Amino acid sequence: MVEYHDTDGQGEDTWGSCLGNGHCHQYHEQNLTVQEYHSIGIYEPCNYASNLAYYHVVTMICDNQVWHLPREYTTAMAQAFTSLTVGSAFWHGSHTLLGNIADNRFIDVVSFIAHQASLQNLPVSSLVRDLSLMPRSKSSTATAQQLADMLRTQSVDTWTEAIADLDTPDYMLTFSGLVCTLLTLQLPEDEADAIIVP
């Protein structure tokens, strides 16, 4: 984020360029504040700071000793929430298109892990597990590692392409999958079938 700020983004995606342009979500908080660290202008200081709560989620994941999931899932969730902290702060701080993409795509990764973890002990097809007609290039846990590696090792000027390479379902589809799984597990089959429209 600091690197992207210092170079004023890339091309037309300059710091603050998503304000009022229609290709990014617009939020009520528009309070450009320059933080002391590196003199970075932060467009939504409250929303930017609120992303630290995701780090608290990571510490809770690490502190919990009674998971009923393989460690690869808890590790992936910690990686994904750490990444989401960065991506969401990047968006709400910068109002750049890359920040917006990072925020939304990192939610895709978190929700995909939750979806695949929820199906871990259920006999489901790869179509349901991947939420795709074609097999995905990586599992959700491998995708979390791919994302963590990108943030740790790649320059921000490569992130647009690297984020595009994350093979995940859109989080709206994944959240639907999670709801369908919960309804299927909690309700009698006829009630679940009446609610869940194919």
Side-chain angles (χ1 to χ4, degrees):
M1 184 171 159
V2 172
E3 181 182 340
Y4 213 67
H5 174 265
D6 288 351
T7 60
D8 196 22
Q10 291 178 309
E12 295 181 17
D13 189 29
T14 57
W15 205 259
S17 64
C18 273
L19 291 171
N21 286 338
H23 61 277
C24 295
H25 301 108
Q26 196 162 9
Y27 295 86
H28 295 291
E29 183 189 7
Q30 301 293 329
N31 182 20
L32 179 61
T33 304
V34 177
Q35 69 178 14
E36 284 185 37
Y37 177 75
H38 227 270
S39 298
I40 296 176
I42 302 298
Y43 283 92
E44 297 177 55
C46 292
N47 208 335
Y48 170 80
S50 74
N51 288 289
L52 290 176
Y54 290 133
Y55 279 139
H56 184 63
V57 172
V58 174
T59 62
M60 292 174 65
I61 290 168
C62 294
D63 287 346
N64 189 337
Q65 299 300 312
V66 289
W67 288 104
H68 297 284
L69 290 169
R71 185 163 179 85
E72 67 180 303
Y73 281 100
T74 58
T75 299
M77 285 300 283
Q79 289 172 318
F81 272 106
T82 300
S83 300
L84 183 55
T85 303
V86 173
S88 188
F90 186 16
W91 159 238
H92 295 288
S94 73
H95 279 225
T96 59
L97 180 58
L98 179 57
N100 186 266
I101 291 168
D103 185 18
N104 285 281
R105 291 303 314 280
F106 298 0
I107 296 169
D108 290 345
V109 175
V110 169
S111 61
F112 189 37
I113 297 164
H115 170 73
Q116 287 196 330
S118 74
L119 301 174
Q120 179 64 27
N121 296 311
L122 299 175
V124 298
S125 69
S126 62
L127 185 142
V128 172
R129 186 171 310 285
D130 288 347
L131 292 174
S132 176
L133 296 174
M134 303 295 294
R136 297 211 177 265
S137 61
K138 290 182 170 67
S139 68
S140 61
T141 56
T143 302
Q145 184 64 57
Q146 178 186 1
L147 178 56
D149 290 344
M150 180 204 81
L151 290 171
R152 193 179 70 254
T153 65
Q154 294 184 25
S155 173
V156 72
D157 63 345
T158 67
W159 286 11
T160 301
E161 185 176 317
I163 292 170
D165 287 342
L166 298 172
D167 188 9
T168 63
D170 178 273
Y171 65 80
M172 294 297 185
L173 176 61
T174 309
F175 289 153
S176 299
L178 286 163
V179 169
C180 288
T181 299
L182 291 172
L183 290 174
T184 300
L185 292 174
Q186 294 296 316
L187 297 176
E189 187 174 347
D190 61 325
E191 288 181 38
D193 289 346
I195 295 170
I196 302 168
V197 180

